[in-house]
Amino acid sequence: MAGKEKSGKRKIMLLAVIAVLLLLIAAGGAWWFLLRSTAAPSKAQLQEQRAQQTKFIDLGELVTNLQSTDGGTHYIQVKVELKTYDADLEKKIQTYLPEIRNQVLQLLAAQQADKVSDPAVRGQLLDKIKADVNQILQTDGGALSAPVNSKNPPIVAAYFSSFVVQ
């Protein structure tokens, strides 16, 4: 008789465990279908999220000589800021900073002194700086042959916060 009582208690315990599991599954399902937010975020909410994630990374001040058509010596001094939505990118930028600064300096040194002050040329320089920095970051400084993620580049824009030509 003792064996039947143990067997009966085991069945009751097993049924109780199954009932508790079913209740947990039902509660999870109810939460999933009824309580979670299914509405897509509005455009204003997306813009607010982007604004909170926006980070500017300063490349520092860069000075180099320019190509001259008049025989004189001309210099350019700029301060470049990079815009990103990845808060963790600054550490990677610091890792590649010598290579990034070198690339920007080479780009600036290739400019002609009489044309570099033109706003259209400045815009082209910023676009090229952004593309070059993204290339460096996405190929691990040239170690990879192709960019890892070309659809969502790490740097979304580049800006001059200071621009002096002498």
Side-chain angles (χ1 to χ4, degrees):
M1 204 95 178
K4 287 184 180 180
E5 285 180 24
K6 280 189 177 180
S7 176
K9 287 182 181 179
R10 283 187 188 171
K11 286 182 182 178
I12 291 173
M13 288 290 283
L14 182 61
L15 288 174
V17 169
I18 291 173
V20 169
L21 286 175
L22 287 175
L23 284 173
L24 289 173
I25 291 171
W31 172 82
W32 178 259
F33 288 109
L34 300 175
L35 299 177
R36 73 178 175 95
S37 174
T38 57
S42 69
K43 187 174 183 179
Q45 289 172 328
L46 290 174
Q47 288 176 340
E48 184 178 330
Q49 286 175 349
R50 279 287 193 199
Q52 291 174 350
Q53 294 173 340
T54 301
K55 178 148 182 76
F56 288 92
I57 302 168
D58 184 5
L59 293 184
E61 198 171 272
L62 301 159
V63 179
T64 188
N65 57 328
L66 294 169
Q67 293 185 8
S68 177
T69 55
D70 64 5
T73 303
H74 298 279
Y75 297 95
I76 185 169
Q77 175 185 350
V78 297
K79 190 169 182 180
V80 178
E81 306 276 341
L82 303 175
K83 180 179 180 180
T84 184
Y85 298 121
D86 183 357
D88 299 327
L89 190 63
E90 189 166 13
K91 185 176 180 182
K92 190 171 183 180
I93 294 275
Q94 292 304 318
T95 301
Y96 293 108
L97 191 58
E99 187 173 352
I100 292 169
R101 287 177 55 93
N102 178 64
Q103 187 65 30
V104 174
L105 284 169
Q106 286 183 356
L107 179 64
L108 293 172
Q111 303 305 308
Q112 292 183 358
D114 58 343
K115 294 182 181 176
V116 76
S117 294
D118 181 6
V121 173
R122 287 185 190 190
Q124 291 169 354
L125 281 172
L126 289 171
D127 290 341
K128 182 70 172 134
I129 290 170
K130 179 181 89 167
D132 288 352
V133 171
N134 279 328
Q135 181 72 18
I136 291 168
L137 294 173
Q138 291 176 318
T139 61
D140 281 333
L144 303 173
S145 59
V148 176
N149 183 2
S150 59
K151 291 184 182 178
N152 293 319
I155 301 299
V156 295
Y159 301 97
F160 290 123
S161 56
S162 173
F163 192 97
V164 179
V165 176
Q166 181 180 20

